Amino acid sequence: MKKRNLLSAMLPVTAIAGLALLLNACKSGSTDHKTGADTTSTSTSSPNAGLKLPAGFSAAAIAEKMGGTREIAITPQNNIYVKLNNFKDGKGILYLTQDSSKATLKTSFGDYKGTGVYIKKGYLYTSSDEEVFRYKLNDKNEVISPDQPEKIVTGLLSRGEHEAKAITLDNDGNLYVNIGAYSNACQVADRKKDSPGQKGCPILDSAGGIWQFKADKLNQHYGDGIRYATGLRNVVGMDWNQQNNQLFVMQHGRDQLHDLFPQYFTTKQSADLPAECMYALKKGDNAGWPYMYYDWQQHKKILMPEYGGDGKKEGGETAIDPAAAFPGHLAPNGLLFYTGSQFPEKYKNGAFIAFHGSWNRAPEPQAGYFVVFQPFKDGKASGDYEVFADNFAGSADKAAGGRAEHRPCGLAQGPDGSLYVTDDNQGTIYKITYKK
């Protein structure tokens, strides 16, 4: 996809506070991404809850201090389920009801941490780092037996790196689960300077891809799943595109090109590369990790240095091309295709992406901490992306220093077409609306 100069592409839609460039990383519920973010914030009491938005849009912080709020699902009754990556009062799932201006915590349940939450055909699906559960809903989309979830999948691989299990469902009774690679680049010695890649990358046998399960079959084990797509280092943002009837995901690109191979990459190149990629997946697809990465500046698939690359040699001949590519280390944690009618027509069927923000761009400024909109046309990414909601960090200095007050994570669409964004740093839930 054609990209304009990054700075000029962003200037029309975001203020200086968000211009630390569009770049990488994240606390994806994984130990790969860490932050020393501030724990105090005043931004949510400001107009638009401190966010910077396009003309006509407004934002409200409808709930605050909810804990590590990750993925979010909105019921047809406009109520909210949120999954937590740490416990709040000993529970890992929140249920909130809404009035015109705020959301109120009604109950909490679930004795496990995790990331995923999804509503489909009368059930609430949730995930821990090792399992996927579902809860039967009543006619008001309230959980009937919160202490008696059904286990859909057990025994999912979790080895302490990229362990968050993002989930989504299609319209044919299938469940999709990310199994992140427990490695940066499949090196013999992980994250060690000049260590080569493992021959054949055995990690791909059990991780580094998307696995498919039956959504209505109980007690499936990891081994019962189908490896739907491979070559994906780690996916947190994923959504089923209703227009394409296809799975789309956002990959977290690899880290530390300069640290591990300084003979090939400058610190600036390492900060900007590789791309954070959106992929449109079909069964059997291979996105190329760990043998190649996508260079959004050269618009090429490049051979990884662990496998003989030097930053110039092309690779990934059998790997699919990304549907869209973004600058490195922004950490895409949320993906949502907008199907509502509240927002202007240009947003219809386009993609919102929540970039959680970087930790590893030094000595360049850290970046991210915003929500981006990627236009689509006829089911394909079309035109330049733009920063849609900015200033979650609180200031340009806090963003550049990696001290963001808020870090956007999950996205959801309400029945009226409003957009919801979670923050897993301070537990704020934002509601973004549009009025002509």
Side-chain angles (χ1 to χ4, degrees):
M1 192 178 89
K2 185 178 179 181
K3 293 287 183 235
R4 297 181 307 196
N5 173 274
L6 178 62
L7 198 60
S8 64
M10 294 172 64
L11 276 170
V13 292
T14 183
I16 302 259
L19 282 181
L21 298 172
L22 246 170
L23 307 206
N24 178 322
C26 146
K27 182 182 74 178
S28 72
S30 307
T31 57
D32 185 25
H33 300 292
K34 299 181 181 180
T35 176
D38 291 352
T39 57
T40 58
S41 172
T42 58
S43 65
T44 56
S45 61
S46 305
N48 286 330
L51 302 185
K52 296 180 180 180
L53 300 162
F57 288 90
S58 60
I62 60 172
E64 299 183 77
K65 298 180 180 179
M66 291 290 109
T69 52
R70 299 285 288 179
E71 300 305 318
I72 180 172
I74 314 298
T75 73
Q77 292 77 20
N78 214 34
N79 296 321
I80 302 170
Y81 289 99
V82 182
K83 192 72 190 69
L84 304 180
N85 68 355
N86 49 39
F87 291 133
K88 182 176 176 61
D89 299 326
K91 301 299 180 182
I93 306 168
L94 307 181
Y95 176 62
L96 301 92
T97 57
Q98 283 196 79
D99 59 26
S100 59
S101 61
K102 65 179 181 178
T104 301
L105 180 61
K106 185 174 183 180
T107 188
S108 58
F109 56 97
D111 59 357
Y112 52 92
K113 305 172 186 179
T115 288
V117 61
Y118 202 90
I119 296 172
K120 192 77 172 182
K121 294 183 178 179
Y123 286 92
L124 176 74
Y125 291 80
T126 62
S127 68
S128 70
D129 291 342
E130 297 85 23
E131 297 176 298
V132 179
F133 305 86
R134 75 174 185 179
Y135 301 80
K136 181 66 176 175
L137 300 173
N138 63 20
D139 59 359
K140 297 180 181 179
N141 283 293
E142 299 167 328
V143 169
I144 294 172
S145 300
D147 296 326
Q148 298 177 338
E150 297 177 338
K151 285 190 178 182
I152 301 300
V153 185
T154 63
L156 295 172
L157 189 71
S158 178
R159 295 191 176 178
E161 184 173 1
H162 303 147
E163 70 274 19
K165 300 300 183 291
I167 61 174
T168 196
L169 284 83
D170 65 17
N171 300 316
D172 296 315
N174 296 307
L175 165 73
Y176 300 86
V177 185
N178 168 64
I179 310 293
Y182 47 94
S183 173
N184 176 41
C186 206
Q187 290 175 285
V188 172
D190 192 35
R191 298 178 186 270
K192 299 298 182 181
K193 185 179 177 182
D194 293 323
S195 178
Q198 297 180 61
K199 186 177 181 179
C201 190
I203 289 172
L204 292 173
D205 292 343
S206 58
I210 306 296
W211 265 250
Q212 182 191 65
F213 300 90
K214 295 296 183 184
D216 59 355
K217 184 178 180 181
L218 305 185
N219 298 313
Q220 297 167 88
H221 192 268
Y222 185 22
D224 298 323
I226 297 170
R227 186 173 63 178
Y228 188 81
T230 191
L232 292 156
R233 178 177 176 270
N234 187 39
V235 166
V236 185
M238 55 195 304
D239 195 17
W240 191 261
N241 186 318
Q242 300 298 330
Q243 189 178 33
N244 289 42
N245 196 32
Q246 187 175 5
L247 178 64
F248 279 69
V249 303
M250 294 295 307
Q251 176 179 237
H252 284 223
R254 58 86 47 83
D255 302 323
Q256 299 173 296
L257 285 170
H258 171 75
D259 292 349
L260 303 179
F261 295 91
Q263 65 270 40
Y264 300 134
F265 301 95
T266 66
T267 56
K268 181 67 166 65
Q269 288 174 312
S270 190
D272 292 345
L273 299 172
E276 305 281 45
C277 290
M278 173 190 286
Y279 287 102
L281 298 179
K282 295 179 181 178
K283 187 176 180 180
D285 277 346
N286 182 355
W289 182 91
Y291 304 110
M292 53 74 59
Y293 65 85
Y294 190 76
D295 185 320
W296 61 275
Q297 296 170 326
Q298 297 187 68
H299 312 294
K300 293 179 180 179
K301 291 179 288 189
I302 302 296
L303 189 65
M304 285 275 212
E306 288 82 359
Y307 291 91
D310 59 2
K312 299 176 183 177
K313 294 178 184 177
E314 295 186 40
E317 293 82 2
T318 62
I320 62 173
D321 291 329
F326 305 84
H329 311 293
L330 296 180
N333 268 19
L335 173 64
L336 175 75
F337 285 95
Y338 185 79
T339 59
S341 299
Q342 181 186 135
F343 290 6
E345 182 63 24
K346 77 173 229 179
Y347 295 99
K348 190 84 167 190
N349 296 314
F352 287 102
I353 305 160
F355 284 108
H356 191 254
S358 69
W359 63 272
N360 60 348
R361 295 193 67 245
E364 298 297 315
Q366 302 303 332
Y369 323 108
F370 42 46
V371 174
V372 158
F373 175 71
Q374 171 62 60
F376 266 64
K377 182 178 181 181
D378 299 326
K380 295 183 179 180
S382 175
D384 296 316
Y385 51 83
E386 61 187 52
V387 175
F388 173 77
D390 201 359
N391 202 42
F392 288 90
S395 72
D397 287 345
K398 288 182 178 181
R403 297 175 289 106
E405 293 178 352
H406 305 276
R407 294 169 71 97
C409 186
L411 299 171
Q413 180 183 307
D416 65 350
S418 297
L419 178 68
Y420 293 79
V421 186
T422 65
D423 148 44
D424 68 355
N425 190 39
Q426 294 200 41
T428 301
I429 300 175
Y430 299 87
K431 182 178 182 179
I432 298 175
T433 56
Y434 177 79
K435 187 176 182 180
K436 293 181 180 180

